[in-house]
Amino acid sequence: MNILLIIIAIIAIILLLTGGFVQSLNFLLWVGIILLVIAVIVWLVRLLTGSRRV
């Protein structure tokens, strides 16, 4: 019975860590998509206005 409890505790910890990693990766994915959209908009504005400053 003690071994079963230890196995369940280890599985619970692994699932908890995995869930946290998945949520943080999901957040970072959305941040990356937003930054990509902003970069495309800035590139289009520079292309359309003809501004070549670095």
Side-chain angles (χ1 to χ4, degrees):
M1 194 67 172
N2 232 357
I3 295 173
L4 181 63
L5 187 61
I6 292 172
I7 291 173
I8 291 174
I10 291 173
I11 291 174
I13 291 171
I14 291 172
L15 289 176
L16 179 67
L17 290 176
T18 305
F21 290 144
V22 168
Q23 283 183 344
S24 65
L25 288 176
N26 192 13
F27 172 73
L28 290 176
L29 178 68
W30 281 109
V31 169
I33 290 172
I34 291 170
L35 289 176
L36 180 65
V37 168
I38 291 172
V40 168
I41 290 172
V42 169
W43 178 75
L44 284 174
V45 167
R46 287 185 62 189
L47 185 70
L48 293 175
T49 60
S51 175
R52 299 286 180 216
R53 288 183 292 153
V54 176

